[in-house]
Structure formats: structure tokens, C-alpha cells
Amino acid sequence: QGSGAPHLVFVPSAGMGHLLPFTRFITAIADMGVDISVVTALPTVSEAEAEHFAGLFAAFPAIRRIDFNLLPFDASAFADTEPFFLRWESLRRSAHLLGPLIAGAAPRASAIITDVTLASEVIPVAKNELKLPCHVLFTSGATVLAFLAYFPVYLDGANADHLVGDVDVPGVRRLPSDYCPRVLRNPDGLFTKQFIVNGREIAKADGILVNTFDALEPEALTALRGGKVVPGFPPVFAVGPLKSTPSARRSDKADSPIAWLGEQPARSVVYVAFGNCNAAALKQIREIGAGLEASGCRFLWVVKTTILDREDTAELRDVVGDGFLGRVQGRGLVTKEWVDQEAVLKHPAVGLFLSHAGWGSVTEAAAYGVPMLAWPTLGDHKIIATVIRSGGFGVWMEHWSWQEEDSEESSVVSGVEIGEKLKEVMGDEAISASAAKMREEATKAVAPGGSSYRSMHEFLAMLG
Ligand code: BUP
């Protein structure tokens, strides 16, 4: 790094699912002759984020950190709004401060790479004020990107009253209304407003980076690149699957789940995790436990009882119920701690991933050839589940609902059903074979000459 190298300024957003693709992309290009700065909004929302930022800066001392002090934000007008949406709004409302902050960067910035949740605010700052190219690092898949980009067009046309019906994304697939993020059904909701303005503005970006690869989402990538979704859409660079950063934590400790996995037979363990933003109701957590117990499988289960890890003070044994930990001792490991998920999925002992189908989790499972049992919970998960289904490397339990923390709904998926499905998918040779094939494709994509390798180099060449 040094004089003459392009200087990229990254503007990540809140939430580990948003931060991780940024640090992964940064890790991928850190040694490729670019200068890098990272805008860091403080304080972070979760402990996991704070540690992750610290790990990135420790691993790459040459990367500059631009502290971003957010303006006070009164969230009282947004009762019942998810904490991450509020945080995004707070970042968005302070985004105009980024102009002077980035203008003062030395060496002069060459391009900005923003998270999609901030796109409608950061793209104008970059282009109008700083006269810099602005790219978006999209933190979900190309299929969701196509949905986001097409959604404003869909609203302008068929559906003036903003009620979400089936959305037929041109060249990609028809998404029944039930697959679309539930939050979009509220036209006045904060997320809906952010989603629409970001969806419109993203078309003005200079390029869009996506942690995906051609074989994982062929339809969406072809349609986006061919201008079928939105005519004149910016170039889409599929650069995944991106590998983890050197800051991954805990995996080297003797008491880590990785050490435990080392003692289990190949492909014998079900890994269960529902991401950072999904906490099931206690009743559902207990049924998942019953299902794991009934399945007879070995398992590693990451339990979350609150959306923000700072607020998670519940004792594990109270959460999973009396006697559970004793009954499954030796065959199941249950934790409320952050685990190094990529190291888990890479481990030969893992044979199945019961997952909420968050994009990070899906790309990791695809990269390591781990079959998935998808249990989409909210947001873009059902759209992502269509990618798992069409790729054939997992099963989507379409009728499994998700009872959220504090929800009034009474439908809970029973332990009996969960246990049976786990057993069935663990033994499904066809799914295993598709997962292994996906792993091969992922490996080819990032190897020299592969589609993601070429995309990454095209992107870097564009920076000049
Ligand atoms: Br929990 C957990 N360790 O213990 P997704 C998650 N992760 O490494 P998201 C860990 O977080 P939504 C843990 O590897 C993945 O890269 C995991 O991203 C990592 O879901 C990331 O899967 C989680 O996209 O939820 O963003 O948490 O999709 O609902 O926003």
C-alpha cells in the first residue's frame, strides 16, 4: 500500500450479517495494492461487532479507521421498530457528515464502498459532493438484490397502494407475496421506506459487489447483468464466496466447539444456528431441543434468546429446560456464545446445517458443501430459501413457521416433526451430492480463472 494506490473508503452498516461481508471483502483485497479506510460508527450495536472491528484493525495495521460520531437520534417516534432498523436510520441521518469526513482523508479517496442500507444517503454524498465513484457492497444474494432493485418498479406499476402481492422479478423468479419480507407489508414502516429509497438509488451506483458466485445464483446474475430486472443497472460483480477474516475468534481455544467437533465422527453432527438477529420464543426453543434429542443425531446448537447480544442475560439451562443439558451430554453441545461459524461449517464432522437461511450462512454452507435444512424466519430469508431449493443443496420447510420472541402466535413446530426431518435430511444422499457439487463450484469460482476471481479483478481494474 502507499502512494499511487487507489484509496477505498468503506462505509459498513450495523449488524454482524452486514459487517462480516465488509471485513471479508476487505480481507480479500488487503494485499492487492489498494489503500483502505473503514468508517467506524461508534458505539457499535453489539459486543460481537465491537470485537470484530478490533480484530480487523489488529490484523491489518495499515488499514485506517475513520471514526464516525453519530448525531443524537430520537427513536421515540418509532415504537416497536427492530433495533437494527433504528440503528440504520441513525446512520442514515448522520450520513451527510461523511462528506467532510471523507474529504479530509489522506491520501485522497478514490472511491467509496457503502452498505446497501445507507445507499440512498451515501451515493449522493459520494457523487454530488465528493465527486467520487460509489459502489455498493450488497450483503445478501443476487436474488435479493434483484428483488430490491425491482421492488420500486413493481410499486410504481401494479400496486399504488403499497400492498405487497406476488412479485414477478423479471428474468429471476416469481416470488409469492408470502416470500417477500413481512415488514414491507407496512407501507409506513421505517424499513419499508429505507428499502424503497435504497432500491431506487442503488441503480445510480457505479458497481455492485455481491458475495455470491455464478453457479449459486445463475438466473439472478444473468438477469441483473442483462438489464432485465432494471434496464441500465450498474455492473454486478459476483466475488464470492468470500472467506473469513483472520480475526475469527475462539476457534483456537481448547474448550471451543471446534475442539469438540474434532472428537466426533465425519458428517455426524447437525449444526443449528439462526444468525444474529433471530431469537425464537422460549416454547419454540424447547421444541428445537426436543427435536435434536429425538433425532438421535449429534449436534452443536447456538441458542439466542434476544436480538441484541448485550441484552442476553438468560442462563442456558433455564432456556433449554430442566435436565436437557445432562440428557444430551457427550452427544450435543449447546452454547449461547458466538462461535466461529465458518470454522464449524468447514469441519468434516458437520453433516447438516439447520439454519434461518441468512445469506452469510447460506454462502458458508455452499462454500463448504454442507447440506441445509432451511427454516426461514423473517426478512429476506424466504427469498434466499428459493436459492437453496433451486441449487438442490438443501430442503426448505415451507410450512414451518417461526414464533418470535414475545410473539402472541401460538403455532410452534413440534419437536417430533423437527426430529424426524433432521434424521431424514441427514440420510439424504442426493442432497449431500448436490452440496458437494456446490462446494466444487464455489472452489472453482474463486480459483485463478474462475468467475468470482475474474469479477474481483475486473472490479479492481475499474478503480484505476
Ligand atoms: Br449467531 C453466529 N457465529 O455464533 P447471516 C453467526 N456467525 O460466525 P444474520 C458466527 O454471522 P439476518 C455465530 O458465520 C454468518 O457469517 C455467520 O449472517 C456469523 O444471518 C453471520 O447468516 C450471520 O446472514 O441474520 O445477518 O445474522 O439474515 O436475519 O440478518
Side-chain angles (χ1 to χ4, degrees), residues 14-21 24 48 52 82 84 88 139-140 211 244 248-249 271-278 302-304 335-345 353 355-364 372 377-381 384:
M16 283 304 282
H18 285 258
L19 185 55
L20 279 165
R24 285 178 180 181
H52 198 72
E82 228 243 69
F84 287 102
W88 296 342
T139 51
S140 187
N211 181 17
S244 69
R249 301 166 299 159
Y271 170 58
V272 185
F274 297 98
N276 306 281
C277 318
N278 306 284
V302 183
V303 175
K304 249 176 100 59
T335 180
K336 279 179 65 213
E337 299 283 314
W338 171 270
V339 302
D340 179 353
Q341 179 169 299
E342 191 174 2
V344 169
L345 290 171
F353 183 10
S355 163
H356 68 306
W359 188 246
S361 297
V362 171
T363 50
E364 289 157 16
M372 298 190 82
T377 58
L378 41 86
D380 56 4
H381 305 157
I384 295 172

Side-chain angles (χ1 to χ4, degrees), residues 20 24 52 242-253 256-263 267 269 271 273 300 302 338-353 360-361 363-365 367-370 439:
L20 279 165
R24 285 178 180 181
H52 198 72
L242 295 167
K243 292 288 155 66
S244 69
T245 61
S247 57
R249 301 166 299 159
R250 293 181 192 280
S251 53
D252 50 351
K253 295 204 182 143
S256 83
I258 306 301
W260 179 79
L261 284 175
E263 294 156 16
R267 299 264 161 210
V269 175
Y271 170 58
L300 167 58
V302 183
W338 171 270
V339 302
D340 179 353
Q341 179 169 299
E342 191 174 2
V344 169
L345 290 171
K346 199 192 286 191
H347 201 285
V350 174
L352 180 64
F353 183 10
S361 297
T363 50
E364 289 157 16
Y368 297 109
V370 179
R439 177 191 187 136

